[in-house]
Amino acid sequence: MTKPIVALVGRPNVGKSTLFNRLAGSRLAVTDELPGTTRDRLHADAEWNGRPFTVVDTGGIEILPDSVTNGRRPGPERVLTQDSAPYIPLMRDQAEQAVAAADAVIFLTDASSGRTGGDDEVARILRRARCPIFLAANKADNEESRQAALEFYSLGLGEVYPISALHGKGVADLLDALVEELPKAEPEPADDAVGIAIVGRPNVGKSSLLNKLLGEERAIVSPIPGTTRDAIDTQLEWQGTPIRLIDTAGIRRRGKIGPGVEHYSVLRALRALQRADVALLVIDAVEGVTNQDTHVASLILDEWAGVVVLVNKWDAVEKDERTFEEYSAWVRHALRFLDYVPVLFISALTGQRVNKVLPAALAVHEARARRIATGELNRLVQGSLERHAPPSKRGKRLKVYYVSQPGIEPPTFVFHVNDPGLVHFSYERYLENQLRQAYDFAGTPLRLVFRQRQRRDLKATS
């Protein structure tokens, strides 16, 4: 399901991460009094009045002292000044990209410090926006600051919502107005094509792979990270199977995302993953598996997509008779939470093993649609319980009455038990491994749900 995206935009230290945490329902973003604490994008599902959406926290434009721009490290006196004039071009670029990538923008200002030149410039860009803009004057914690928030009406963006993201004051009114303007979250229209997204951090060869798969220069290829800004869909057919290839911009971690175009390209990549059945996670063989690769992998898992890991630039790696086995073991260890996925060593430049990519992705797609008969499934689970009984907890032992598979894509298994609280994560992993050993679920995540058996179920089977 593709959900509308709401981007939180504003200069540093206006409370974007605090508002993000409140909308997401948990403290997912690091908050601190020091301006510029957010150096990565965080995204989370949110819902208000029954309307789901994805909220995205963004880092503000960091305004550093002159000593930094001159190549010297700032000392303890480092501050972010209120005079934003030298950095207006960066703010303008960020605002333009937010408008282009999101379905709605919440523009946060600071009621306690008042209107700044940076606020003025961002507002100038947002006035031309086609998506809805909601101006929230944050830190309006008392009557005095709520009155001060009225100053922001002069920005010409319509209604001003005085809020306190920390205490929740006024946030409900803001969200009421927001969800009324958002497009509805709807399932993807019926499409026989298998959606395959090519994802990874910048400059690992995603566009080169797309071109090699298509046999033509469909996407721009450049050694400069971040060349691909938008998700690009390309239709093709592979041995009678329609495929929709989605090329995406690179995804970077905190501190590596620059302002503007690259900053907001992550929004498009997230949207692409929402539309994908299978993701091709491209890794640079020369640089190896990085923390950012595992970060991208976690984004894929958040969307329950199938995965094929592609170790690209394999031609550039010096090899001996042990290289392949050692590298394979290292990749699987580094991506240990993806130990069930196929790994291919390819070269998008030379075409080495590229012919195996689409067959592997289609095999994963087939595994995502695999369904097990209820009787067969319960015999497997009961056998697993007999071989390795669940550990007891507080004198109670987990009992599994029966199992069903109500859904596919991904395969979803519901375990009807006496008490879901008795399920330890290690035993859940054991049951998942038993399913994988018995059936070919390579490349697809499995969703295991443990549900307490109702009294009426007990009566029906007694």
Side-chain angles (χ1 to χ4, degrees), residues 379-438:
R379 285 191 293 272
L380 170 65
V381 172
Q382 287 303 317
S384 301
L385 293 171
E386 292 171 2
R387 286 190 297 272
H388 179 34
S392 61
K393 185 177 182 181
R394 298 188 301 272
K396 295 180 62 178
R397 190 177 298 275
L398 176 71
K399 294 181 180 179
V400 179
Y401 297 109
Y402 68 97
V403 189
S404 61
Q405 185 188 354
I408 57 174
E409 298 182 351
T412 301
F413 302 95
V414 177
F415 291 72
H416 298 266
V417 301
N418 58 333
D419 183 358
L422 297 175
V423 182
H424 192 269
F425 75 90
S426 61
Y427 200 76
E428 179 179 351
R429 185 63 183 268
Y430 164 72
L431 293 174
E432 178 181 336
N433 289 337
Q434 293 299 298
L435 288 167
R436 292 191 181 279
Q437 290 175 14

Short mmCIF file of all heavy atoms in Angstrom, two decimals, residues 379-438:
data_model
loop_
_atom_site.label_atom_id
_atom_site.label_comp_id
_atom_site.label_asym_id
_atom_site.label_seq_id
_atom_site.Cartn_x
_atom_site.Cartn_y
_atom_site.Cartn_z
N ARG A 379 0.95 -30.39 10.95
CA ARG A 379 1.82 -31.55 11.20
C ARG A 379 3.27 -31.12 11.35
O ARG A 379 4.01 -31.64 12.21
CB ARG A 379 1.66 -32.57 10.07
CG ARG A 379 0.34 -33.36 10.13
CD ARG A 379 0.37 -34.51 9.16
NE ARG A 379 0.39 -34.07 7.77
CZ ARG A 379 -0.70 -33.80 7.05
NH1 ARG A 379 -1.90 -33.92 7.61
NH2 ARG A 379 -0.61 -33.41 5.80
N LEU A 380 3.68 -30.17 10.51
CA LEU A 380 5.05 -29.66 10.61
C LEU A 380 5.29 -28.98 11.96
O LEU A 380 6.31 -29.24 12.62
CB LEU A 380 5.31 -28.66 9.47
CG LEU A 380 6.61 -27.85 9.56
CD1 LEU A 380 7.82 -28.76 9.45
CD2 LEU A 380 6.65 -26.75 8.51
N VAL A 381 4.38 -28.14 12.37
CA VAL A 381 4.56 -27.40 13.62
C VAL A 381 4.53 -28.33 14.82
O VAL A 381 5.34 -28.21 15.75
CB VAL A 381 3.49 -26.30 13.74
CG1 VAL A 381 3.53 -25.65 15.13
CG2 VAL A 381 3.69 -25.24 12.66
N GLN A 382 3.61 -29.29 14.84
CA GLN A 382 3.54 -30.22 15.96
C GLN A 382 4.82 -31.04 16.07
O GLN A 382 5.33 -31.30 17.15
CB GLN A 382 2.32 -31.14 15.82
CG GLN A 382 1.00 -30.45 16.09
CD GLN A 382 0.94 -29.81 17.47
OE1 GLN A 382 1.36 -30.40 18.47
NE2 GLN A 382 0.41 -28.59 17.54
N GLY A 383 5.36 -31.44 14.92
CA GLY A 383 6.63 -32.16 14.93
C GLY A 383 7.75 -31.30 15.47
O GLY A 383 8.62 -31.78 16.22
N SER A 384 7.73 -30.02 15.13
CA SER A 384 8.75 -29.09 15.62
C SER A 384 8.63 -28.91 17.13
O SER A 384 9.64 -28.83 17.85
CB SER A 384 8.60 -27.73 14.92
OG SER A 384 8.74 -27.87 13.52
N LEU A 385 7.39 -28.86 17.64
CA LEU A 385 7.17 -28.72 19.08
C LEU A 385 7.66 -29.95 19.83
O LEU A 385 8.21 -29.85 20.93
CB LEU A 385 5.68 -28.51 19.36
CG LEU A 385 5.07 -27.19 18.85
CD1 LEU A 385 3.56 -27.21 19.00
CD2 LEU A 385 5.66 -26.01 19.60
N GLU A 386 7.47 -31.13 19.24
CA GLU A 386 7.91 -32.36 19.89
C GLU A 386 9.43 -32.46 19.92
O GLU A 386 10.01 -32.95 20.90
CB GLU A 386 7.30 -33.56 19.17
CG GLU A 386 5.78 -33.66 19.34
CD GLU A 386 5.18 -34.72 18.44
OE1 GLU A 386 5.96 -35.40 17.72
OE2 GLU A 386 3.94 -34.86 18.44
N ARG A 387 10.08 -32.02 18.86
CA ARG A 387 11.54 -32.09 18.80
C ARG A 387 12.19 -31.08 19.75
O ARG A 387 13.26 -31.34 20.30
CB ARG A 387 12.03 -31.85 17.37
CG ARG A 387 11.80 -33.02 16.44
CD ARG A 387 12.52 -32.82 15.12
NE ARG A 387 12.00 -31.65 14.41
CZ ARG A 387 10.96 -31.70 13.57
NH1 ARG A 387 10.30 -32.85 13.38
NH2 ARG A 387 10.55 -30.61 12.94
N HIS A 388 11.55 -29.94 19.90
CA HIS A 388 12.12 -28.89 20.76
C HIS A 388 10.96 -28.17 21.43
O HIS A 388 10.36 -27.26 20.87
CB HIS A 388 12.96 -27.92 19.92
CG HIS A 388 13.56 -26.80 20.70
ND1 HIS A 388 14.00 -26.91 22.00
CD2 HIS A 388 13.80 -25.50 20.34
CE1 HIS A 388 14.48 -25.76 22.40
NE2 HIS A 388 14.37 -24.88 21.42
N ALA A 389 10.66 -28.59 22.65
CA ALA A 389 9.52 -28.01 23.38
C ALA A 389 9.81 -26.57 23.76
O ALA A 389 10.97 -26.21 24.05
CB ALA A 389 9.23 -28.84 24.62
N PRO A 390 8.79 -25.71 23.80
CA PRO A 390 8.99 -24.32 24.21
C PRO A 390 9.46 -24.24 25.66
O PRO A 390 9.04 -25.05 26.50
CB PRO A 390 7.60 -23.70 24.07
CG PRO A 390 6.81 -24.65 23.23
CD PRO A 390 7.39 -26.01 23.46
N PRO A 391 10.34 -23.32 25.97
CA PRO A 391 10.77 -23.16 27.37
C PRO A 391 9.63 -22.60 28.22
O PRO A 391 8.74 -21.91 27.72
CB PRO A 391 11.93 -22.16 27.26
CG PRO A 391 11.65 -21.38 26.01
CD PRO A 391 11.00 -22.35 25.07
N SER A 392 9.64 -22.90 29.49
CA SER A 392 8.61 -22.38 30.40
C SER A 392 8.99 -20.98 30.85
O SER A 392 10.16 -20.60 30.87
CB SER A 392 8.45 -23.30 31.60
OG SER A 392 9.67 -23.37 32.32
N LYS A 393 7.99 -20.23 31.22
CA LYS A 393 8.18 -18.86 31.67
C LYS A 393 7.23 -18.61 32.84
O LYS A 393 6.01 -18.77 32.69
CB LYS A 393 7.92 -17.88 30.52
CG LYS A 393 8.20 -16.44 30.86
CD LYS A 393 7.97 -15.57 29.63
CE LYS A 393 8.29 -14.11 29.90
NZ LYS A 393 8.04 -13.27 28.70
N ARG A 394 7.81 -18.26 33.97
CA ARG A 394 7.02 -18.04 35.19
C ARG A 394 6.14 -19.26 35.51
O ARG A 394 4.99 -19.14 35.90
CB ARG A 394 6.15 -16.79 35.05
CG ARG A 394 6.92 -15.49 34.86
CD ARG A 394 6.01 -14.29 34.92
NE ARG A 394 4.98 -14.35 33.90
CZ ARG A 394 5.13 -13.88 32.68
NH1 ARG A 394 6.29 -13.32 32.32
NH2 ARG A 394 4.16 -13.96 31.80
N GLY A 395 6.69 -20.45 35.29
CA GLY A 395 5.97 -21.67 35.60
C GLY A 395 4.96 -22.09 34.56
O GLY A 395 4.29 -23.12 34.71
N LYS A 396 4.81 -21.31 33.50
CA LYS A 396 3.86 -21.64 32.42
C LYS A 396 4.63 -21.98 31.15
O LYS A 396 5.72 -21.45 30.90
CB LYS A 396 2.92 -20.46 32.16
CG LYS A 396 1.98 -20.13 33.31
CD LYS A 396 1.08 -18.95 32.96
CE LYS A 396 0.19 -19.26 31.76
NZ LYS A 396 -0.72 -18.13 31.47
N ARG A 397 4.05 -22.86 30.35
CA ARG A 397 4.69 -23.26 29.10
C ARG A 397 3.78 -22.91 27.93
O ARG A 397 2.56 -23.06 28.00
CB ARG A 397 4.97 -24.76 29.10
CG ARG A 397 5.86 -25.20 27.93
CD ARG A 397 6.17 -26.69 28.03
NE ARG A 397 6.91 -27.01 29.23
CZ ARG A 397 8.24 -26.92 29.32
NH1 ARG A 397 8.94 -26.51 28.28
NH2 ARG A 397 8.85 -27.26 30.44
N LEU A 398 4.38 -22.44 26.87
CA LEU A 398 3.63 -22.09 25.67
C LEU A 398 2.96 -23.32 25.07
O LEU A 398 3.57 -24.37 24.94
CB LEU A 398 4.57 -21.47 24.63
CG LEU A 398 3.97 -21.13 23.27
CD1 LEU A 398 3.01 -19.95 23.37
CD2 LEU A 398 5.08 -20.84 22.25
N LYS A 399 1.69 -23.18 24.72
CA LYS A 399 0.96 -24.23 24.02
C LYS A 399 0.48 -23.69 22.68
O LYS A 399 -0.10 -22.61 22.62
CB LYS A 399 -0.24 -24.70 24.84
CG LYS A 399 0.12 -25.40 26.15
CD LYS A 399 -1.14 -25.85 26.88
CE LYS A 399 -0.77 -26.56 28.19
NZ LYS A 399 -2.00 -26.99 28.92
N VAL A 400 0.74 -24.43 21.63
CA VAL A 400 0.27 -24.07 20.29
C VAL A 400 -0.87 -25.01 19.93
O VAL A 400 -0.66 -26.21 19.79
CB VAL A 400 1.41 -24.16 19.25
CG1 VAL A 400 0.89 -23.78 17.87
CG2 VAL A 400 2.58 -23.25 19.65
N TYR A 401 -2.07 -24.45 19.79
CA TYR A 401 -3.24 -25.29 19.52
C TYR A 401 -3.35 -25.63 18.03
O TYR A 401 -3.55 -26.78 17.67
CB TYR A 401 -4.50 -24.58 20.00
CG TYR A 401 -4.51 -24.35 21.49
CD1 TYR A 401 -4.37 -23.07 22.03
CD2 TYR A 401 -4.63 -25.42 22.38
CE1 TYR A 401 -4.37 -22.86 23.39
CE2 TYR A 401 -4.62 -25.22 23.75
CZ TYR A 401 -4.49 -23.95 24.26
OH TYR A 401 -4.47 -23.74 25.61
N TYR A 402 -3.22 -24.62 17.18
CA TYR A 402 -3.19 -24.90 15.74
C TYR A 402 -2.64 -23.67 15.02
O TYR A 402 -2.53 -22.59 15.59
CB TYR A 402 -4.58 -25.28 15.21
CG TYR A 402 -5.61 -24.17 15.23
CD1 TYR A 402 -5.87 -23.40 14.11
CD2 TYR A 402 -6.35 -23.92 16.39
CE1 TYR A 402 -6.82 -22.40 14.13
CE2 TYR A 402 -7.30 -22.93 16.42
CZ TYR A 402 -7.54 -22.17 15.28
OH TYR A 402 -8.49 -21.17 15.31
N VAL A 403 -2.29 -23.87 13.75
CA VAL A 403 -1.67 -22.83 12.94
C VAL A 403 -2.42 -22.72 11.62
O VAL A 403 -2.86 -23.74 11.07
CB VAL A 403 -0.17 -23.14 12.68
CG1 VAL A 403 0.51 -21.95 12.03
CG2 VAL A 403 0.53 -23.54 13.95
N SER A 404 -2.53 -21.51 11.12
CA SER A 404 -3.13 -21.29 9.80
C SER A 404 -2.29 -20.30 9.02
O SER A 404 -1.47 -19.57 9.60
CB SER A 404 -4.57 -20.76 9.95
OG SER A 404 -4.57 -19.53 10.64
N GLN A 405 -2.48 -20.29 7.72
CA GLN A 405 -1.79 -19.32 6.87
C GLN A 405 -2.85 -18.48 6.14
O GLN A 405 -3.28 -18.81 5.05
CB GLN A 405 -0.87 -20.01 5.85
CG GLN A 405 -0.05 -18.99 5.05
CD GLN A 405 0.74 -19.60 3.91
OE1 GLN A 405 0.79 -20.82 3.75
NE2 GLN A 405 1.35 -18.75 3.09
N PRO A 406 -3.24 -17.37 6.72
CA PRO A 406 -4.31 -16.57 6.11
C PRO A 406 -3.85 -15.67 4.96
O PRO A 406 -4.69 -15.14 4.24
CB PRO A 406 -4.80 -15.72 7.28
CG PRO A 406 -3.61 -15.57 8.16
CD PRO A 406 -2.84 -16.84 8.03
N GLY A 407 -2.53 -15.47 4.82
CA GLY A 407 -2.10 -14.52 3.80
C GLY A 407 -0.79 -14.89 3.16
O GLY A 407 -0.02 -15.71 3.65
N ILE A 408 -0.54 -14.25 2.02
CA ILE A 408 0.71 -14.39 1.29
C ILE A 408 1.24 -12.99 0.98
O ILE A 408 0.60 -11.99 1.26
CB ILE A 408 0.54 -15.19 -0.02
CG1 ILE A 408 -0.51 -14.52 -0.92
CG2 ILE A 408 0.15 -16.63 0.27
CD1 ILE A 408 -0.65 -15.17 -2.29
N GLU A 409 2.43 -12.95 0.41
CA GLU A 409 3.08 -11.70 0.00
C GLU A 409 3.12 -10.67 1.12
O GLU A 409 2.55 -9.59 0.98
CB GLU A 409 2.40 -11.12 -1.24
CG GLU A 409 2.50 -12.03 -2.45
CD GLU A 409 1.89 -11.44 -3.69
OE1 GLU A 409 1.22 -10.38 -3.61
OE2 GLU A 409 2.06 -12.02 -4.77
N PRO A 410 3.81 -10.92 2.23
CA PRO A 410 4.61 -12.11 2.49
C PRO A 410 3.77 -13.23 3.10
O PRO A 410 2.68 -12.98 3.62
CB PRO A 410 5.63 -11.60 3.52
CG PRO A 410 4.84 -10.61 4.31
CD PRO A 410 3.94 -9.93 3.31
N PRO A 411 4.29 -14.48 3.08
CA PRO A 411 3.58 -15.57 3.75
C PRO A 411 3.38 -15.25 5.23
O PRO A 411 4.32 -14.92 5.94
CB PRO A 411 4.54 -16.76 3.56
CG PRO A 411 5.34 -16.42 2.34
CD PRO A 411 5.51 -14.93 2.40
N THR A 412 2.12 -15.34 5.66
CA THR A 412 1.76 -14.96 7.03
C THR A 412 1.15 -16.15 7.75
O THR A 412 0.20 -16.76 7.24
CB THR A 412 0.77 -13.79 7.02
OG1 THR A 412 1.36 -12.67 6.34
CG2 THR A 412 0.39 -13.37 8.44
N PHE A 413 1.69 -16.47 8.91
CA PHE A 413 1.24 -17.63 9.68
C PHE A 413 0.73 -17.16 11.03
O PHE A 413 1.41 -16.42 11.75
CB PHE A 413 2.39 -18.62 9.85
CG PHE A 413 2.96 -19.10 8.55
CD1 PHE A 413 4.08 -18.48 8.00
CD2 PHE A 413 2.39 -20.16 7.87
CE1 PHE A 413 4.61 -18.91 6.79
CE2 PHE A 413 2.91 -20.60 6.66
CZ PHE A 413 4.02 -19.97 6.12
N VAL A 414 -0.47 -17.60 11.38
CA VAL A 414 -1.08 -17.25 12.66
C VAL A 414 -1.04 -18.46 13.57
O VAL A 414 -1.62 -19.51 13.25
CB VAL A 414 -2.52 -16.75 12.48
CG1 VAL A 414 -3.16 -16.46 13.84
CG2 VAL A 414 -2.55 -15.49 11.61
N PHE A 415 -0.37 -18.32 14.70
CA PHE A 415 -0.27 -19.38 15.70
C PHE A 415 -1.28 -19.08 16.81
O PHE A 415 -1.17 -18.04 17.49
CB PHE A 415 1.14 -19.44 16.28
CG PHE A 415 2.19 -19.92 15.32
CD1 PHE A 415 2.61 -19.12 14.27
CD2 PHE A 415 2.76 -21.17 15.47
CE1 PHE A 415 3.58 -19.55 13.39
CE2 PHE A 415 3.74 -21.62 14.59
CZ PHE A 415 4.15 -20.82 13.54
N HIS A 416 -2.25 -19.95 16.99
CA HIS A 416 -3.23 -19.79 18.06
C HIS A 416 -2.68 -20.47 19.31
O HIS A 416 -2.50 -21.70 19.33
CB HIS A 416 -4.57 -20.39 17.64
CG HIS A 416 -5.16 -19.71 16.43
ND1 HIS A 416 -6.06 -18.68 16.52
CD2 HIS A 416 -4.92 -19.90 15.11
CE1 HIS A 416 -6.38 -18.29 15.30
NE2 HIS A 416 -5.70 -19.01 14.43
N VAL A 417 -2.40 -19.68 20.34
CA VAL A 417 -1.67 -20.17 21.52
C VAL A 417 -2.43 -19.82 22.80
O VAL A 417 -3.41 -19.06 22.78
CB VAL A 417 -0.26 -19.56 21.56
CG1 VAL A 417 0.53 -19.91 20.31
CG2 VAL A 417 -0.33 -18.04 21.72
N ASN A 418 -1.94 -20.38 23.91
CA ASN A 418 -2.57 -20.09 25.19
C ASN A 418 -2.22 -18.71 25.71
O ASN A 418 -3.03 -18.03 26.34
CB ASN A 418 -2.20 -21.16 26.23
CG ASN A 418 -0.69 -21.26 26.43
OD1 ASN A 418 0.09 -20.97 25.53
ND2 ASN A 418 -0.27 -21.71 27.62
N ASP A 419 -0.98 -18.23 25.42
CA ASP A 419 -0.57 -16.92 25.90
C ASP A 419 0.56 -16.39 25.02
O ASP A 419 1.69 -16.89 25.08
CB ASP A 419 -0.09 -17.02 27.36
CG ASP A 419 0.28 -15.66 27.95
OD1 ASP A 419 0.21 -14.65 27.23
OD2 ASP A 419 0.65 -15.62 29.15
N PRO A 420 0.29 -15.37 24.17
CA PRO A 420 1.34 -14.83 23.30
C PRO A 420 2.54 -14.29 24.08
O PRO A 420 3.66 -14.24 23.55
CB PRO A 420 0.63 -13.69 22.55
CG PRO A 420 -0.82 -14.05 22.60
CD PRO A 420 -1.01 -14.73 23.92
N GLY A 421 2.34 -13.90 25.34
CA GLY A 421 3.44 -13.38 26.13
C GLY A 421 4.49 -14.41 26.47
O GLY A 421 5.59 -14.07 26.91
N LEU A 422 4.18 -15.70 26.25
CA LEU A 422 5.14 -16.76 26.54
C LEU A 422 6.08 -17.03 25.36
O LEU A 422 6.99 -17.86 25.48
CB LEU A 422 4.39 -18.05 26.89
CG LEU A 422 3.52 -18.00 28.15
CD1 LEU A 422 2.74 -19.31 28.30
CD2 LEU A 422 4.37 -17.74 29.39
N VAL A 423 5.86 -16.35 24.24
CA VAL A 423 6.67 -16.60 23.05
C VAL A 423 7.97 -15.79 23.14
O VAL A 423 7.96 -14.56 23.06
CB VAL A 423 5.91 -16.22 21.76
CG1 VAL A 423 6.77 -16.54 20.54
CG2 VAL A 423 4.58 -16.95 21.70
N HIS A 424 9.08 -16.49 23.32
CA HIS A 424 10.38 -15.83 23.33
C HIS A 424 10.85 -15.66 21.90
O HIS A 424 10.56 -16.49 21.02
CB HIS A 424 11.39 -16.68 24.12
CG HIS A 424 12.67 -15.96 24.42
ND1 HIS A 424 13.76 -16.01 23.58
CD2 HIS A 424 13.02 -15.16 25.47
CE1 HIS A 424 14.73 -15.28 24.10
NE2 HIS A 424 14.31 -14.76 25.25
N PHE A 425 11.59 -14.56 21.63
CA PHE A 425 12.00 -14.29 20.25
C PHE A 425 12.85 -15.42 19.69
O PHE A 425 12.81 -15.71 18.49
CB PHE A 425 12.76 -12.96 20.17
CG PHE A 425 14.16 -13.00 20.69
CD1 PHE A 425 15.23 -13.32 19.86
CD2 PHE A 425 14.43 -12.73 22.03
CE1 PHE A 425 16.52 -13.36 20.34
CE2 PHE A 425 15.73 -12.77 22.52
CZ PHE A 425 16.77 -13.08 21.68
N SER A 426 13.63 -16.09 20.55
CA SER A 426 14.47 -17.19 20.06
C SER A 426 13.62 -18.38 19.62
O SER A 426 13.97 -19.08 18.65
CB SER A 426 15.46 -17.62 21.16
OG SER A 426 14.77 -18.08 22.31
N TYR A 427 12.51 -18.62 20.32
CA TYR A 427 11.65 -19.73 19.91
C TYR A 427 10.86 -19.37 18.65
O TYR A 427 10.62 -20.23 17.80
CB TYR A 427 10.68 -20.11 21.03
CG TYR A 427 10.13 -21.51 20.86
CD1 TYR A 427 10.92 -22.62 21.14
CD2 TYR A 427 8.85 -21.73 20.38
CE1 TYR A 427 10.45 -23.91 20.96
CE2 TYR A 427 8.35 -23.01 20.19
CZ TYR A 427 9.17 -24.11 20.48
OH TYR A 427 8.69 -25.38 20.29
N GLU A 428 10.50 -18.12 18.51
CA GLU A 428 9.87 -17.68 17.27
C GLU A 428 10.82 -17.88 16.10
O GLU A 428 10.41 -18.33 15.02
CB GLU A 428 9.47 -16.21 17.39
CG GLU A 428 8.82 -15.65 16.13
CD GLU A 428 8.41 -14.20 16.28
OE1 GLU A 428 8.48 -13.66 17.41
OE2 GLU A 428 8.03 -13.59 15.26
N ARG A 429 12.08 -17.57 16.31
CA ARG A 429 13.08 -17.77 15.25
C ARG A 429 13.22 -19.26 14.94
O ARG A 429 13.39 -19.64 13.77
CB ARG A 429 14.42 -17.18 15.70
CG ARG A 429 15.51 -17.23 14.64
CD ARG A 429 15.14 -16.38 13.44
NE ARG A 429 16.13 -16.46 12.39
CZ ARG A 429 17.15 -15.62 12.27
NH1 ARG A 429 17.31 -14.65 13.16
NH2 ARG A 429 18.00 -15.74 11.29
N TYR A 430 13.16 -20.11 15.96
CA TYR A 430 13.22 -21.56 15.75
C TYR A 430 12.07 -22.03 14.86
O TYR A 430 12.28 -22.80 13.91
CB TYR A 430 13.18 -22.28 17.09
CG TYR A 430 12.87 -23.77 16.99
CD1 TYR A 430 13.80 -24.67 16.49
CD2 TYR A 430 11.62 -24.25 17.39
CE1 TYR A 430 13.50 -26.03 16.39
CE2 TYR A 430 11.31 -25.60 17.29
CZ TYR A 430 12.26 -26.49 16.79
OH TYR A 430 11.96 -27.82 16.69
N LEU A 431 10.87 -21.56 15.14
CA LEU A 431 9.71 -21.96 14.34
C LEU A 431 9.84 -21.45 12.90
O LEU A 431 9.50 -22.17 11.95
CB LEU A 431 8.43 -21.44 14.97
CG LEU A 431 8.05 -22.06 16.33
CD1 LEU A 431 6.85 -21.34 16.92
CD2 LEU A 431 7.76 -23.56 16.17
N GLU A 432 10.36 -20.24 12.75
CA GLU A 432 10.56 -19.72 11.39
C GLU A 432 11.58 -20.57 10.64
O GLU A 432 11.39 -20.90 9.45
CB GLU A 432 11.04 -18.27 11.45
CG GLU A 432 11.33 -17.68 10.07
CD GLU A 432 11.82 -16.25 10.12
OE1 GLU A 432 11.52 -15.55 11.11
OE2 GLU A 432 12.49 -15.83 9.16
N ASN A 433 12.65 -20.96 11.30
CA ASN A 433 13.66 -21.80 10.65
C ASN A 433 13.10 -23.16 10.25
O ASN A 433 13.48 -23.71 9.21
CB ASN A 433 14.87 -21.98 11.57
CG ASN A 433 15.69 -20.70 11.70
OD1 ASN A 433 15.64 -19.84 10.83
ND2 ASN A 433 16.44 -20.58 12.79
N GLN A 434 12.20 -23.70 11.08
CA GLN A 434 11.57 -24.97 10.73
C GLN A 434 10.73 -24.84 9.46
O GLN A 434 10.74 -25.73 8.60
CB GLN A 434 10.69 -25.46 11.89
CG GLN A 434 11.46 -25.84 13.14
CD GLN A 434 12.42 -26.99 12.89
OE1 GLN A 434 12.01 -28.10 12.53
NE2 GLN A 434 13.72 -26.74 13.07
N LEU A 435 10.03 -23.73 9.32
CA LEU A 435 9.25 -23.48 8.11
C LEU A 435 10.16 -23.35 6.90
O LEU A 435 9.87 -23.87 5.82
CB LEU A 435 8.40 -22.22 8.28
CG LEU A 435 7.21 -22.31 9.24
CD1 LEU A 435 6.66 -20.92 9.55
CD2 LEU A 435 6.11 -23.17 8.62
N ARG A 436 11.28 -22.66 7.07
CA ARG A 436 12.20 -22.45 5.95
C ARG A 436 12.90 -23.74 5.54
O ARG A 436 13.17 -23.95 4.36
CB ARG A 436 13.22 -21.38 6.32
CG ARG A 436 12.63 -19.99 6.47
CD ARG A 436 13.71 -18.92 6.57
NE ARG A 436 13.13 -17.60 6.74
CZ ARG A 436 12.64 -16.86 5.76
NH1 ARG A 436 12.67 -17.31 4.52
NH2 ARG A 436 12.14 -15.66 6.00
N GLN A 437 13.19 -24.60 6.50
CA GLN A 437 13.83 -25.87 6.17
C GLN A 437 12.90 -26.80 5.40
O GLN A 437 13.34 -27.58 4.56
CB GLN A 437 14.33 -26.55 7.45
CG GLN A 437 15.51 -25.85 8.11
CD GLN A 437 15.90 -26.48 9.43
OE1 GLN A 437 15.46 -27.60 9.75
NE2 GLN A 437 16.71 -25.79 10.21
N ALA A 438 11.61 -26.71 5.71
CA ALA A 438 10.64 -27.61 5.07
C ALA A 438 10.18 -27.10 3.72
O ALA A 438 9.82 -27.90 2.84
CB ALA A 438 9.44 -27.82 5.99
#
